[in-house]
Amino acid sequence: MSAPAPAREAAAAASPEAPLLAVRGIDVSLGRPAVPILRDVSLTVRAGEIVGIVGETGSGKTTLARTIFGLVRPLRGVVEVEGAPVSALDGSRLRAFRRTGRVQLVFQDPLRSLDPDLTVAAIVGEGPAIQGVPAAERREKVARALELVGLDSSVASRTPGQISGGQRQRVSIARAVVSGPRLLVCDEPVSALDASNRNHILRLLDDLRRELGIGVVVISHDLGSLAGIADRVAVLYRGRIVEDGPVTEVFRDPRHPYTALLVASAPRVSGVHGHSLAALRQAGPTGVAGGCVFAHRCPFATSDCSIQPETAVSGDRHVACHHAATWPSAASRLERNHAHG
Amino acid sequence: MPSSRPLLSVTDLRVTVGGGAEAVRGVSFDVAPGESVGLVGESGSGKTLTCRAVLGVLPPGCAVTGGRVEFGGEDLTAFGRRQWEAVRGARIGAVFQDPASYLNPSLTVGAQLAEVLRVKAGLPRRAARAKAVELLGGMGLHDPARVYGQYPHELSGGMLQRVLIAIAVSCDPELLVADEATTALDVTVQAEVLELLGRLRRERGLSIVFVSHDLAVVAELCDRIAVFYGGELVESGPTEEVLASPRHPYTEALLRVASVGDWGRRTLDVIPGQPPPVGAAVTGCRFADRCAFAADACRQGDIPLSALPEGRAVRCVRASEVALAGAGALMGEAR
């Protein structure tokens, strides 16, 4: 369920108070004219922890990953990595921070993110080479990284086109862990893989956080993947986190209607996920605008929803919904009506 | 689905890649009118090549070297270019994974749909336009007249897939072939597109061949399921029965790695090893090296696909001896 106690304790000792990653109330806009992409997003990741971010296309997942990495600067709020304010760095200081390799990104499609002409050894060794690590030490680091991700050393001399999809994703993870990162940010790391390979990669991420005590952010639109490994999950909709909490609790007992819709939409071999889709999918009332990001699609929206809901905290769960306490019974009523008529 | 005569009947289909390696090794299955059949398996299992052979659109270097693909009583493998023109896009429609790459980016989606209606269905310009708007509306697209005038880049992935489905069913086909048609979509959109396909089936009596690596997606839509491994069919039967009590160890393995439907399940099962390379000569069962139940008998010679009651079939010599867990048991395990 959670990381073994020693890894957790070791991690806690390494960072006595500051979490590994603290995102506090960031607003991000992109483009000209500026289009708001993220609004008031907060997220904490501790060492040895896997935090999932789930959301649909256009929800701002990838922008959040890029902001954490320092590729995009927030208009408001801060991003801190081990207490260092990444969002306040610029120019050479930002490049110096990236060069430390403390935060690493892993992308969805390794065939596109890995240089097709380089060998696996060159791809994995590129970071250390830029950091000025001498060749002999570099070879050692590359060999260690490949071993860590479960790749045979014979793969080192091949190019990305010559290995399988699952192996390629292992190469991108080896590339990310070679410089000893503290935080891995994985953007849809398993979407391009079939179910067996998907689980291989998820297991690998799970092993890495235990063995290396690193923090991991996994961005995915696949709830099943996140349920498999994440400790906590944040649900992003149109740039806002509408709900977050421990992954099993959030998926079993969603408190935001959007989370409930995601859960009910997930394909499954058997069993029913909570409320029926029909009850959750009715369009919201027209004329509710400017408040809750989900109101236009929410069957439970009222005039209250034209005001942005505060994020309510109960235990380790957060939800931003005016009707969090009442919508589940309204959904059950809708279901009964469907059943009868 | 009881029917005197299948709409599509694939018999002992063989497809080679690059002139030699046999990637599809004697696959047989039927699709009855109005029935939906799911082809599942890992990458390289032969499911996609099988469906491409049914459509007559095999990639370069691939060729049908044996077997028959009978559609409405005619053998498609013997068809020439002209004969295909009358079938493909008319009596057999198709949708693929990446809708954007099948549309012309510089024409509106409506013009592309109307073109199909003019060329394939022979409608005059004005009627084609009216019918196109009607079809777009029927796919659950809001404000279809507006969508008609939009370019592919102006639409989301889910909307584009609806446009592609509209094109695929525009000439009232009897069969729709969907190859990973929902794989790239967001989960809420995927659920909507699966519902749309289910509705088209009911309303039009459409048969569907649905190819996916995701057992859970197939379970949502298909009456029957055909499990591919290493170029062969290893198990087939009614979806509910196959998932409740798989008879082939590979089917059970696929179930273990799929999302069975319990969020508390945190064991991440994997299938150890790799499938045999395409065309590899393997004596006996092609799954044996990865199978927990493999015995000497599994490696002795060709293993036939044996018929079982309830319209099921399995290619496993130990099918009657091994105890396999179905979806229900796997969910129970999670608790």
Side-chain angles (χ1 to χ4, degrees):
Chain A
M1 190 87 190
S2 59
R8 281 276 161 91
E9 278 161 25
S15 53
E17 65 252 357
L20 207 50
L21 171 72
V23 175
R24 295 203 192 94
I26 58 166
D27 285 357
V28 174
S29 293
L30 296 176
R32 250 167 249 250
V35 177
I37 307 292
L38 295 174
R39 278 168 291 182
D40 197 21
V41 167
S42 297
L43 188 74
T44 306
V45 182
R46 293 179 186 81
E49 187 176 48
I50 298 185
V51 175
I53 296 174
V54 65
E56 57 195 42
T57 312
S59 60
K61 294 176 295 185
T62 298
T63 301
L64 178 55
R66 292 167 58 89
T67 311
I68 293 169
F69 192 62
L71 291 171
V72 179
R73 193 203 274 249
L75 295 174
R76 198 176 68 85
V78 288
V79 175
E80 287 180 356
V81 173
E82 294 187 291
V86 178
S87 49
L89 301 178
D90 57 4
S92 57
R93 287 193 302 160
L94 182 58
R95 278 194 296 278
F97 164 78
R98 281 200 217 116
R99 210 160 281 182
T100 63
R102 276 194 287 173
V103 180
Q104 287 289 341
L105 289 176
V106 174
F107 299 97
Q108 170 176 354
D109 184 355
L111 206 49
R112 283 190 206 168
S113 60
L114 302 178
D115 188 328
D117 294 329
L118 294 183
T119 63
V120 166
I123 290 167
V124 177
E126 196 172 18
I130 291 169
Q131 289 172 335
V133 175
E137 194 183 325
R138 211 158 67 214
R139 270 196 297 279
E140 211 171 282
K141 273 180 174 255
V142 169
R144 247 199 332 266
L146 291 179
E147 195 189 329
L148 202 56
V149 300
L151 280 176
D152 194 83
S153 57
S154 66
V155 169
S157 57
R158 300 202 200 146
T159 60
Q162 297 170 328
I163 57 181
S164 73
Q167 287 177 315
R168 274 197 291 271
Q169 197 52 290
R170 284 173 197 265
V171 171
S172 11
I173 294 171
R175 187 203 56 76
V177 298
V178 70
S179 46
R182 302 293 303 129
L183 180 72
L184 277 190
V185 181
C186 310
D187 189 359
E188 299 279 4
V190 294
S191 311
L193 303 174
D194 64 31
S196 178
N197 276 317
R198 176 192 78 181
N199 289 1
H200 270 295
I201 295 296
L202 293 174
R203 269 190 176 186
L204 171 61
L205 292 174
D206 201 23
D207 290 345
L208 289 175
R209 60 103 166 243
R210 278 160 209 221
E211 283 166 30
L212 309 175
I214 58 176
V216 182
V217 175
V218 178
I219 294 172
S220 181
H221 68 273
D222 174 21
L223 278 62
S225 303
L226 294 178
I229 55 163
D231 301 301
R232 287 187 299 118
V233 65
V235 181
L236 202 58
Y237 186 76
R238 285 196 169 183
R240 280 194 189 265
I241 291 181
V242 295
E243 173 162 14
D244 77 65
V247 69
T248 312
E249 289 178 38
V250 170
F251 287 167
R252 277 196 175 157
D253 168 32
R255 296 200 177 152
H256 195 285
Y258 176 61
T259 316
L261 175 66
L262 280 180
V263 168
S265 297
R268 64 265 175 181
V269 169
S270 63
V272 176
H273 295 169
H275 292 286
S276 80
L277 262 177
L280 298 165
R281 214 194 249 151
Q282 292 175 355
T286 47
V288 180
C292 172
V293 283
F294 189 59
H296 70 117
R297 276 173 79 181
C298 182
F300 315 109
T302 63
S303 55
D304 295 349
C305 303
S306 54
I307 298 161
Q308 169 60 34
E310 293 287 310
T311 299
V313 182
S314 96
D316 43 11
R317 297 192 62 176
H318 301 99
V319 60
C321 173
H322 289 293
H323 303 302
T326 54
W327 73 259
S329 53
S332 303
R333 267 199 306 281
L334 280 174
E335 270 159 39
R336 278 197 299 276
N337 292 346
H338 278 288
H340 292 300
Chain B
M1 206 158 281
S3 167
S4 49
R5 193 168 171 191
L7 175 70
L8 176 75
S9 185
V10 175
T11 314
D12 197 29
L13 179 72
R14 292 175 187 275
V15 178
T16 57
V17 180
E22 204 169 54
V24 175
R25 313 166 70 89
V27 164
S28 303
F29 65 94
D30 287 350
V31 182
E35 187 181 46
S36 94
V37 175
L39 314 184
V40 286
E42 287 168 287
S43 323
S45 62
K47 60 188 193 302
T48 293
L49 282 178
T50 299
C51 110
R52 300 279 162 135
V54 169
L55 286 170
V57 289
L58 285 171
C62 297
V64 173
T65 52
R68 293 168 68 81
V69 178
E70 277 176 61
F71 175 72
E74 289 180 284
D75 184 8
L76 297 180
T77 60
F79 269 27
R81 217 185 168 85
R82 283 200 99 95
Q83 289 166 294
W84 266 118
E85 289 295 309
V87 170
R88 201 192 294 128
R91 298 179 62 198
I92 304 180
V95 254
F96 302 100
Q97 176 168 352
D98 180 12
S101 64
Y102 292 90
L103 290 168
N104 184 334
S106 54
L107 294 175
T108 64
V109 296
Q112 296 181 62
L113 173 54
E115 184 189 2
V116 175
L117 289 164
R118 287 205 316 274
V119 175
K120 290 272 181 188
L123 292 185
R125 197 166 286 269
R126 193 175 297 231
R129 189 194 161 94
K131 170 93 181 183
V133 172
E134 184 197 320
L135 268 168
L136 291 173
M139 299 303 125
L141 287 161
H142 297 290
D143 200 351
R146 182 180 134 87
V147 173
Y148 184 98
Q150 287 184 305
Y151 290 91
H153 76 269
E154 296 177 289
L155 303 179
S156 68
M159 293 168 87
L160 286 176
Q161 197 59 293
R162 287 175 204 266
V163 170
L164 261 286
I165 294 171
I167 291 175
V169 301
S170 59
C171 301
D172 289 316
E174 293 140 81
L175 176 68
L176 179 70
V177 177
D179 185 2
E180 301 278 7
T182 65
T183 306
L185 302 176
D186 280 320
V187 56
T188 55
V189 181
Q190 170 171 275
E192 289 167 13
V193 170
L194 286 172
E195 275 172 32
L196 169 62
L197 292 174
R199 181 163 63 76
L200 290 172
R201 240 187 93 190
R202 284 193 307 278
E203 291 175 359
R204 296 167 171 247
L206 194 63
S207 298
I208 299 181
V209 171
F210 190 87
V211 178
S212 177
H213 66 269
D214 190 340
L215 211 51
V217 173
V218 170
E220 298 266 324
L221 184 73
C222 299
D223 306 315
R224 281 198 305 125
I225 186 169
V227 182
F228 280 68
Y229 186 80
E232 294 177 337
L233 249 183
V234 294
E235 177 160 11
S236 66
T239 307
E240 214 168 301
E241 275 86 23
V242 171
L243 299 184
S245 61
R247 301 299 297 274
H248 196 288
Y250 178 64
T251 312
E252 190 210 33
L254 275 185
L255 259 176
R256 283 186 179 276
V257 301
S259 319
V260 289
D262 189 316
W263 301 119
R265 193 169 82 131
R266 292 178 64 99
T267 52
L268 285 166
D269 279 305
V270 297
I271 308 174
Q274 293 294 322
V278 170
V282 175
T283 307
C285 174
R286 298 178 78 75
F287 186 61
D289 285 347
R290 302 172 79 184
C291 181
F293 305 98
D296 289 347
C298 303
R299 297 189 171 89
Q300 310 254 298
D302 284 354
I303 293 156
L305 191 67
S306 321
L308 301 171
E310 296 172 317
R312 300 184 59 173
V314 64
R315 191 188 297 277
C316 175
V317 287
R318 304 199 62 205
S320 56
E321 310 162 38
V322 295
L324 302 175
L330 289 172
M331 275 190 69
E333 240 172 57
R335 297 224 169 86

